[in-house]
Amino acid sequence: MTRLLLLSCLALLPSFALADTPQQILAAYQQQAGGASAARGEKFFFAKVTQANGEVVGCASCHTDNPKAVGKTRAHKTIEPLAPVANRERFTDPAKVEKWFKRNCKDVLDRECTVQEKADFVAFLISVK
Amino acid sequence: MGLTLKNLGILLAALVASGFWLGTSWGDGSQPTFPPVSNKAAATECASCHMAYPAGLLPARSWMRMMNSLENHFGEDASLSPEETAAISRYLKDNAADSATANERSRRIASGIALNAAPLRFTETPYFGYLHDEVPATVWKRAKIGSRANCIACHTRAETGSFAEREIKIPKD
């Protein structure tokens, strides 16, 4: 029994080891982009785009103007805050970060985001205190 | 015939039994109206933007149509990895409203949909319309409801698959 417990604990270890910190995720983007600017990320976060159907959208449409606040999807579901200071799970899973950049950049900008934009965006949100 | 203790007992038993029957027939029993999403990937992925709608709300052909067009999911990109897409598709198909294991209510949803139709919204099925025809248009527009997709705004236990009549609480604003 003890051995079984020990084994199951060991099996769980890799999942903990894989969890990244927001700083690690930023470092990875920063390395690819050759730098990151929180100020540029802030501008990007608050920017508004007029879509083909005339709708004016931006990150804040769903995430609100306050990265520490709870947002809401178009289907009225709660979105946990973007800033790691208000949500410790934010930017801890690189695959999840990439998944949402891919989806949301396409939704708002109708294109993928550049590595530079991603680096700046993460840098801005980490800088929110 | 006088009201004997025995007759009173029979009457009471009949009352309790009919109450129980009414209760269960309206989905007020312990069983949820629809089995909630039991597949972990489906529950996590679908519920990141909206409630994880039970698979029994739509027939398999609707789910397949939806899973094949996730990059434009009601105007948003909800694309998943090919592995996730395959796993979630399989779950939805196996538990769809027209699957072998579907409950009575799901079968009614499925039988209301034309065979050549594959609606993507449960709210556009005849069954939904039939059960919500008394809700005035102004109610749907209330801020706390906002959308027909927002089941939980009125069905307080929708996330557990329960849509019992007595759990409905319509927001006033």
Side-chain angles (χ1 to χ4, degrees):
Chain A
M1 189 61 203
T2 327
R3 187 185 284 178
L4 194 72
L5 264 173
L6 202 71
L7 272 173
S8 49
C9 285
L10 277 175
L12 282 171
L13 266 181
S15 63
F16 288 118
L18 277 175
D20 282 17
T21 64
Q23 281 71 23
Q24 283 172 315
I25 287 180
L26 171 62
Y29 282 128
Q30 217 166 358
Q31 200 184 11
Q32 291 175 60
S37 151
R40 250 188 342 242
E42 184 174 7
K43 238 176 114 184
F44 180 86
F45 179 82
F46 288 106
K48 296 271 180 269
V49 194
T50 307
Q51 293 191 321
N53 60 5
E55 208 182 327
V56 181
V57 295
C59 308
S61 304
C62 292
H63 292 287
T64 80
D65 278 337
N66 177 4
K68 287 190 284 185
V70 164
K72 212 180 226 183
T73 68
R74 284 179 181 162
H76 296 261
K77 173 124 185 169
T78 297
I79 308 173
E80 294 308 320
L82 274 180
V85 69
N87 172 9
R88 47 187 297 203
E89 279 183 32
R90 190 61 71 191
F91 305 133
T92 55
D93 178 351
K96 201 172 168 187
V97 174
E98 270 299 298
K99 177 171 87 177
W100 286 101
F101 266 134
K102 177 175 178 279
R103 292 172 166 184
N104 292 354
C105 293
K106 202 180 135 209
D107 288 338
V108 177
L109 302 168
D110 202 22
R111 63 167 172 83
E112 294 219 2
C113 284
T114 64
V115 183
Q116 186 67 67
E117 284 167 334
K118 293 176 188 175
D120 295 348
F121 185 86
V122 176
F124 162 58
L125 289 164
I126 288 177
S127 77
V128 173
K129 292 289 170 244
Chain B
M1 189 178 78
L3 191 64
T4 65
L5 216 61
K6 190 182 159 200
N7 283 344
L8 197 68
I10 292 171
L11 185 71
L12 268 175
L15 268 174
V16 169
S18 66
F20 179 75
W21 179 78
L22 269 176
T24 48
S25 70
W26 288 99
D28 284 6
S30 55
Q31 286 285 316
T33 323
F34 300 100
V37 175
S38 60
N39 176 280
K40 197 168 168 277
T44 314
E45 292 307 325
C46 306
S48 34
C49 297
H50 52 67
M51 189 189 107
Y53 301 116
L57 289 183
L58 288 172
R61 58 186 184 280
S62 291
W63 290 123
M64 293 309 107
R65 193 180 149 210
M66 188 178 298
M67 294 305 289
N68 286 329
S69 59
L70 283 180
E71 60 294 336
N72 184 0
H73 187 65
F74 306 104
E76 285 188 27
D77 183 345
S79 52
L80 296 163
S81 71
E83 298 77 30
E84 284 170 321
T85 309
I88 295 173
S89 298
R90 196 177 322 119
Y91 169 76
L92 292 170
K93 193 172 158 237
D94 289 349
N95 295 276
D98 56 348
S99 69
T101 55
N103 68 15
E104 176 62 25
R105 210 172 270 261
S106 284
R107 285 202 294 271
R108 281 170 74 182
I109 295 171
S111 62
I113 301 169
L115 282 173
N116 60 356
L120 295 180
R121 298 175 201 264
F122 167 59
T123 54
E124 286 171 2
T125 62
Y127 190 73
F128 179 91
Y130 160 69
L131 284 180
H132 295 82
D133 62 351
E134 79 278 25
V135 183
T138 49
V139 170
W140 293 114
K141 293 198 187 94
R142 287 180 187 164
K144 285 191 180 134
I145 301 175
S147 154
R148 278 168 167 74
N150 194 10
C151 308
I152 199 154
C154 303
H155 296 276
T156 52
R157 293 184 64 233
E159 271 169 329
T160 66
S162 179
F163 288 79
E165 198 85 54
R166 63 179 153 83
E167 292 160 6
I168 300 173
K169 235 174 151 177
I170 300 175
K172 298 265 179 285
D173 50 336

